[in-house]
Every structure is written in C-alpha cells, then in structure tokens.
Amino acid sequence: MSKLSQLKKKVGYQEHVPRCSTCAYFLQQQLMRDSMPGYFQRFCRQHHFEVKAHACCDNWISEKGEVLA
C-alpha cells in the first residue's frame, strides 16, 4: 500500500460522496457564447433549477438507485 493510500485511509478520504454531479437528476450542458464554448449550465431535472456541482439536496439519488438515509 502506498503512502498516499495509507494517508487517504487514515483521514477517511472518500471520492464518491453524494453531490449534485453524481445524482441521477443532474444535467450539465455546455452553452455557447458568440459561437465559442462559454460555460457549463448545471441543472436539476427533478426540481427544475440551476445547481452547483458539489452541492447536494435531501432528494439525491445515485445512478444505481441509492438514496440518502
């Protein structure tokens, strides 16, 4: 086990945590501005509003169907 792996285990590091970007209802679109890639619009299809990629709500559901307890 590498030093990095040991440190991640020691501090309880988790890569796959609930957040909008891992939700089944998350939609990300790249919008154009003057025919150039402008910015990404991140949208919740369930609640119909723009979201932050690292935010999370109580209705989060994973692509596999897991829910928050």
Side-chain angles (χ1 to χ4, degrees), residues 19-34:
R19 58 180 167 249
C20 283
S21 62
T22 60
C23 183
Y25 298 112
F26 181 73
L27 176 65
Q28 178 171 286
Q29 295 177 320
Q30 186 174 16
L31 301 177
M32 306 294 267
R33 196 173 278 160
D34 297 326

Side-chain angles (χ1 to χ4, degrees), residues 9 11-12 18 24 28 30 38 58 61 67:
K9 185 175 182 180
V11 299
Q28 178 171 286
Q30 186 174 16
D58 292 339
I61 183 168
V67 295

Side-chain angles (χ1 to χ4, degrees), residues 34-51:
D34 297 326
S35 300
M36 298 292 291
Y39 64 98
F40 287 97
Q41 180 186 31
R42 295 169 176 99
F43 190 78
C44 177
R45 290 182 290 184
Q46 182 181 25
H47 299 295
H48 308 288
F49 60 84
E50 284 193 50
V51 295

